[in-house]
């Protein structure tokens, strides 16, 4: 099991090429039989007649990194995973761009489905990351996770 502490935050959007590289690196891990991936993408929500153009993410980084570690440990304790990777954006992420990349691997498929849902829900509920939804007129509102 891969449980070492890893840096979670990336500046700006998570690049599709980064995701492709992460997947490719796992081809040599022949005990893995299944992967599951969650990609969070910024939506162009319409709120009070205004359309979101980007989200600016901020965090209490040390607290957030600690919470990511706790979630990772809890997930490895609960599920038979081979490895797990979590990357979350900081800074500005435009609509259509990716802000969250969670990648779990296990010998069997059912485990990755359950583990991925567990991880993503825990992140949304527990990690102190804040999103400021920015509108075309530069006004904004703070995003509430649901």
């Amino acid at each position: 099991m891969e449980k070492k502490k890893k840096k979670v935050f990336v500046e700006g959007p998570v690049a599709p090429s980064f995701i492709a590289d992460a997947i490719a690196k796992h081809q040599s891990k022949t005990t893995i039989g299944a992967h599951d991936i969650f990609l969070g993408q910024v939506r162009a929500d319409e709120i009070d007649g205004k359309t979101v153009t980007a989200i600016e993410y901020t965090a209490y980084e040390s607290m957030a990194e600690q919470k990511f570690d706790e979630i990772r440990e809890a997930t490895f304790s609960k599920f038979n995973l081979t490895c797990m990777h979590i990357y979350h954006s900081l800074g500005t992420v435009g609509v259509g761009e990716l802000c969250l990349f969670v990648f779990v691997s296990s010998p069997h498929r059912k485990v990755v489905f359950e583990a991925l849902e567990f991880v993503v829900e825990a992140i949304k509920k527990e990690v102190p990351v804040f999103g400021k939804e920015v509108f075309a007129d530069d006004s904004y509102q703070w995003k509430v996770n649901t």
Side-chain angles (χ1 to χ4, degrees):
M1 281 193 295
E2 183 178 313
K3 292 197 274 184
K4 61 186 174 186
K5 289 186 180 187
K6 296 181 177 186
K7 185 168 171 43
V8 171
F9 290 114
V10 296
E11 190 60 37
V14 178
S17 59
F18 179 82
I19 296 164
D21 289 344
I23 294 167
K25 288 177 185 174
H26 286 75
Q27 290 178 312
S28 63
K29 298 181 181 186
T30 58
T31 61
I32 294 172
H35 304 286
D36 202 3
I37 295 172
F38 175 83
L39 301 173
Q41 179 172 302
V42 174
R43 293 183 310 270
D45 286 345
E46 187 171 317
I47 303 165
D48 297 329
K50 297 188 227 180
T51 303
V52 172
T53 59
I55 298 179
E56 292 179 15
Y57 290 99
T58 57
Y60 294 117
E61 288 186 53
S62 61
M63 288 175 61
E65 291 281 2
Q66 177 61 39
K67 187 49 79 174
F68 279 121
D69 284 339
E70 291 171 12
I71 291 168
R72 184 180 289 111
E73 290 301 315
T75 306
F76 273 106
S77 294
K78 185 173 176 133
F79 300 97
N80 179 26
L81 294 179
T82 306
C83 60
M84 172 181 7
H85 305 277
I86 303 169
Y87 297 96
H88 197 296
S89 295
L90 286 180
T92 303
V93 180
V95 295
E97 294 181 314
L98 301 173
C99 56
L100 177 61
F101 169 37
V102 181
F103 182 23
V104 296
S105 305
S106 175
H108 303 286
R109 71 183 175 279
K110 186 174 181 183
V111 173
V112 295
F113 300 145
E114 294 170 355
L116 186 66
E117 181 176 13
F118 177 84
V119 171
V120 172
E121 293 304 320
I123 290 168
K124 290 298 207 176
K125 183 178 175 185
E126 301 174 25
V127 179
V129 173
F130 309 99
K132 184 167 66 172
E133 294 174 310
V134 179
F135 302 104
D137 64 0
D138 290 330
S139 64
Y140 65 88
Q141 76 173 19
W142 290 100
K143 184 169 181 50
V144 176
N145 284 334
T146 55

